[in-house]
Amino acid sequence: MQATAASVFLEEPQLIRPLSTRSGAPKKEGDISSVFVSLSGATPAPLAERFADIKRQLISGHEIEVRASWQRLLERLLVENTEIAQQGPRVVPQIEFSNLSNPSQDFLREVKKRGVAVVKGVVPEHEARGYKTNVEEYIKTNPWTRGFPSNDPAVFELYWSPAQIRARGHPNLISTQRFLMKLWHSTDKEALISTSRPLVYADRVRIRQPGDSGFALGPHIDGGSLERWEPGGYGLGGVYDKIWQGDWEKYDPWEASSRIPAVSDLYDGAGACSMFRMFQGWLSMSSTGPKEGTLMVNPLLQLSTAYLLLRPFFAPVKQLDPLSSSESMSEYLRADNWTLMTGEEITSELQGANPGHAQELSQVLHPHLDLSRTMVHIPQIKAGDYVVWHCDTIHAVDKIHEGKSDSSVLYIPVCPITKTNAEYVVRQRDAFLGGLPGPDFPGGKGESEHIGRPTLDYVAKHVQSEGLQAIGLERLNGMEREDMIGGSIAIERANEILAL
């Protein structure tokens, strides 16, 4: 007989036990501004000299190839940036939920290139709008709920509201997440990862009102910053080795097995993500369009990743005059104006990367990305649409919400089954039981005293089996046929970790 949430967690509560490679110590209380240097008001200190040594080691023996690859990269960016600027939101691939069983090759190809997608109508519109009503009532009932900005919150420190519980477990959403995970592949067929069903990563809520300018996240990438260059971070799986070898064209952003051992949170910062999220994403609870407090992305996944990682190795020969003309800017950006630093020339600087914070990007630090033109809006969205972007995609939000109604979403990423992810879900499950923020997020009492916070009985009543499995309240069942040999083993080990 299959175990259920009620049987395992109400009748046998002794099965719930912390299990993690980390200490599990809660983080200090805070909000989403803790993740970003630009929002926290902190002045970043220069990086330690060891980062110069790391940079030397990364390209050692490949200097000639890296220099040539940089020139090819800049030439390609010049062409692709122009196309993006011309297309705007139209460049973002879209598909109806009803068509996921038979997607076009054009859609699949564009998602792989762009690193972003919109799945329309995942949740019925009236149901998604009902989620927003529920969240608003939950906040009204618990007016001490924390948020950012503190004077007029747009992002709330909520993780366990009834709406979030129900949305994460919605059968259509789980089906969509399964489809999205299949866009990834593993060169190592024995890699311990299963994409047959997702695991939940409990994230926040956004309800952004018209006119808001406080929640103005600039271009950034989550999942660590310095870790992308560090041998003990993404280097553990050799995720970006092709880029360091001067062969960025062969770098595959959709290869999963190399990311399994990667560590994206070496500094345990507030909001640093320790789970492997194949996609970040949100489920819309309102209708929004460009410039209406919505998401912006740089839809050049492979190229932007290569540029971000190679940028710290190059310096301009001739600096740009702040009052320069467009012609001077063109000269500044020319490949022959940029030289590869080698040996003792290499500095510790990693533009926009700071310990314990997200990777931030800017027009000044990353000029060839032309972010002022290539950060494009997500197209018109309705309540119930699901927007996702690859974990390495550069993204931002509108500086000002110029719309006439709220821009509201539930942040729900896409996470496969791995050992690390299962260990996180154990700690996250304990957080749920106590009404506390998930382990990656700023600590404090969270929702522990919130009226109307869902109980195990509520979850068992309103979430179906697949949703219960995703949150770690029911034993994970593998599909009849796993795509990879290691998939079945990954599920077995996850169940052992989850004590189910």
Side-chain angles (χ1 to χ4, degrees):
M1 182 176 178
Q2 183 175 338
T4 65
S7 66
V8 172
F9 288 94
L10 295 182
E11 296 178 14
E12 301 181 82
Q14 70 274 13
L15 289 179
I16 305 173
R17 62 177 186 267
L19 180 57
S20 172
T21 56
R22 293 181 173 276
S23 65
K27 298 181 180 181
K28 66 178 182 180
E29 196 168 15
D31 54 45
I32 196 171
S33 67
S34 308
V35 184
F36 303 93
V37 170
S38 59
L39 291 182
S40 66
T43 301
L47 296 178
E49 184 60 27
R50 72 179 182 89
F51 286 99
D53 294 332
I54 288 173
K55 289 165 65 177
R56 293 186 190 99
Q57 293 165 9
L58 284 173
I59 64 170
S60 178
H62 298 284
E63 290 85 353
I64 294 175
E65 292 85 355
V66 168
R67 183 181 292 110
S69 77
W70 175 257
Q71 181 164 344
R72 298 194 307 273
L73 178 60
L74 298 193
E75 291 172 353
R76 181 78 176 277
L77 279 170
L78 194 60
V79 174
E80 296 287 351
N81 287 348
T82 299
E83 179 183 351
I84 290 171
Q86 291 173 346
Q87 290 198 41
R90 291 175 299 171
V91 79
V92 176
Q94 303 183 63
I95 189 172
E96 292 288 339
F97 170 74
S98 58
N99 292 333
L100 287 184
S101 60
N102 188 31
S104 71
Q105 290 303 307
D106 285 346
F107 171 79
L108 296 175
R109 183 172 54 253
E110 282 298 293
V111 172
K112 292 289 188 73
K113 179 177 181 178
R114 303 303 176 191
V116 60
V118 177
V119 185
K120 309 285 287 184
V122 171
V123 173
E125 188 171 356
H126 73 277
E127 191 171 349
R129 289 188 179 279
Y131 291 156
K132 182 168 74 77
T133 300
N134 176 271
V135 170
E136 290 173 331
E137 291 174 349
Y138 189 61
I139 294 170
K140 185 177 180 180
T141 304
N142 303 282
W144 54 85
T145 300
R146 291 180 61 89
F148 178 86
S150 58
N151 61 318
D152 187 16
V155 178
F156 294 89
E157 294 297 310
L158 292 178
Y159 305 89
W160 308 116
S161 69
Q164 289 166 292
I165 294 291
R166 297 178 77 156
R168 293 169 190 149
H170 197 289
N172 290 1
L173 186 76
I174 291 176
S175 176
T176 302
Q177 292 177 323
R178 183 181 294 118
F179 166 83
L180 292 165
M181 289 192 292
K182 297 301 182 184
L183 296 174
W184 288 70
H185 66 95
S186 291
T187 53
D188 178 3
K189 299 305 178 184
E190 296 184 358
L192 298 182
I193 181 172
S194 173
T195 55
S196 65
R197 59 182 68 255
L199 291 177
V200 161
Y201 184 80
D203 208 332
R204 301 177 174 95
V205 177
R206 183 186 83 210
I207 301 179
R208 193 179 186 193
Q209 301 298 334
D212 174 71
S213 60
F215 182 58
L217 298 183
H220 66 279
I221 307 171
D222 296 300
S225 56
L226 300 175
E227 290 86 350
R228 287 184 167 81
W229 289 269
E230 296 208 54
Y234 286 81
L236 288 174
V239 176
Y240 305 118
D241 281 0
K242 290 296 182 183
I243 296 174
W244 311 131
Q245 294 164 7
D247 200 7
W248 60 262
E249 292 92 340
K250 291 185 179 178
Y251 160 64
D252 184 359
W254 302 94
E255 202 290 311
S257 59
S258 62
R259 294 181 185 254
I260 297 172
V263 177
S264 59
D265 64 333
L266 288 173
Y267 301 92
D268 202 27
C273 181
S274 59
M275 243 177 130
F276 173 19
R277 296 181 292 183
M278 288 181 157
F279 293 89
Q280 292 176 254
W282 47 248
L283 180 71
S284 182
M285 300 186 292
S286 62
S287 294
T288 56
K291 298 185 179 182
E292 296 180 351
T294 193
L295 179 73
M296 302 177 72
V297 295
N298 174 275
L300 279 177
L301 177 58
Q302 184 193 53
L303 299 184
S304 63
T305 302
Y307 181 84
L308 168 71
L309 297 176
L310 291 177
R311 170 66 181 89
F313 296 89
F314 290 85
V317 176
K318 183 179 179 181
Q319 296 291 339
L320 182 66
D321 184 339
L323 301 177
S324 62
S325 63
S326 59
E327 182 177 345
S328 297
M329 173 61 81
S330 297
E331 292 294 319
Y332 173 73
L333 295 176
R334 284 171 57 100
D336 58 12
N337 186 49
W338 291 75
T339 182
L340 175 68
M341 295 179 285
T342 59
E344 294 306 310
E345 296 175 334
I346 293 180
T347 69
S348 63
E349 184 177 14
L350 296 170
Q351 288 83 0
N354 293 283
H357 292 85
Q359 171 70 50
E360 299 193 63
L361 299 94
S362 72
Q363 188 77 14
V364 173
L365 296 178
H366 307 90
H368 297 92
L369 292 180
D370 201 3
L371 295 172
S372 62
R373 294 199 308 152
T374 62
M375 293 297 296
V376 301
H377 288 93
I378 293 298
Q380 187 73 36
I381 295 296
K382 291 184 178 180
D385 294 346
Y386 188 43
V387 178
V388 295
W389 56 100
H390 184 284
C391 51
D392 283 348
T393 294
I394 302 170
H395 57 289
V397 297
D398 278 321
K399 289 184 177 180
I400 301 176
H401 181 349
E402 299 180 11
K404 297 182 179 180
S405 60
D406 61 84
S407 174
S408 302
V409 305
L410 300 175
Y411 291 104
I412 306 177
V414 182
C415 305
I417 297 172
T418 67
K419 176 178 180 289
T420 299
N421 285 3
E423 289 175 343
Y424 183 89
V425 169
V426 170
R427 294 184 291 138
Q428 178 179 257
R429 185 175 63 192
D430 291 341
F432 160 69
L433 294 173
L436 304 174
D440 278 346
F441 296 88
K445 64 182 181 180
E447 296 160 72
S448 60
E449 299 175 2
H450 274 41
I451 299 168
R453 176 170 60 85
T455 61
L456 281 171
D457 284 336
Y458 179 94
V459 178
K461 180 179 179 181
H462 293 283
V463 179
Q464 297 179 17
S465 178
E466 284 192 317
L468 295 173
Q469 292 178 55
I471 201 172
L473 295 179
E474 189 172 291
R475 184 176 178 82
L476 293 166
N477 291 325
M479 306 299 286
E480 292 183 4
R481 181 178 178 182
E482 287 284 335
D483 291 342
M484 294 171 289
I485 299 171
S488 297
I489 300 174
I491 290 176
E492 291 176 8
R493 294 189 179 178
N495 280 326
E496 292 173 1
I497 292 168
L498 292 163
L500 292 171

